[in-house]
Amino acid sequence: MSSDPLDYGRLMQHALRGVVREALGVAAETGLPGEHHFYLSFDTSHPGVSMPDWLAAQYPEELTIVLQHEYWDLAVTQERFSVGLSFSERPAMLTVPFDAILTFVDPHAEF
């Protein structure tokens, strides 16, 4: 961690987490508008990540999820989000701190 208070890399990461938080917040409140959908990759070993043991065993380092048609109970707080998804027809609830996110893509918006 840099001791520079103007560590622009850190500031940029913080700002981008805010974009992800707001985009997920919109989806949680009103659903995904139009053709928007999200690909999110996250570090499954990051502190605060919660997922079923069977899923963690399959993805011990990283997992990419897609929020598009079939997800439920999406909830967003300042520090994390949680969502229900199906993996090979097995339902799972995931909780992911924003600090654990590695990539976020909305192909419809080319973001």
Side-chain angles (χ1 to χ4, degrees), residues 56-75:
Q58 281 184 283
Y59 301 95
E61 295 177 12
E62 183 177 330
L63 176 61
T64 299
I65 59 174
V66 179
L67 300 185
Q68 187 170 15
H69 300 298
E70 295 186 28
Y71 64 91
W72 59 91
D73 296 335
L74 177 59

Side-chain angles (χ1 to χ4, degrees), residues 22-34 71 74:
E22 290 210 25
L24 288 171
V26 168
E29 288 182 25
T30 62
L32 286 164
Y71 64 91
L74 177 59

Side-chain angles (χ1 to χ4, degrees), residues 87-102:
F87 295 85
S88 300
E89 299 185 23
R90 290 182 77 178
M93 283 301 297
L94 309 175
T95 300
V96 180
F98 289 110
D99 287 347
I101 294 175
L102 303 171

Side-chain angles (χ1 to χ4, degrees), residues 6-74:
L6 290 177
D7 177 350
Y8 288 104
R10 180 185 55 78
L11 293 172
M12 182 69 91
Q13 289 298 316
H14 179 75
L16 288 173
R17 278 193 212 73
V19 171
V20 173
R21 183 181 307 107
E22 290 210 25
L24 288 171
V26 168
E29 288 182 25
T30 62
L32 286 164
E35 298 298 316
H36 289 277
H37 55 289
F38 305 146
Y39 289 85
L40 292 115
S41 296
F42 62 94
D43 176 354
T44 57
S45 64
H46 189 280
V49 168
S50 175
M51 56 197 289
D53 291 341
W54 58 267
L55 192 57
Q58 281 184 283
Y59 301 95
E61 295 177 12
E62 183 177 330
L63 176 61
T64 299
I65 59 174
V66 179
L67 300 185
Q68 187 170 15
H69 300 298
E70 295 186 28
Y71 64 91
W72 59 91
D73 296 335
L74 177 59

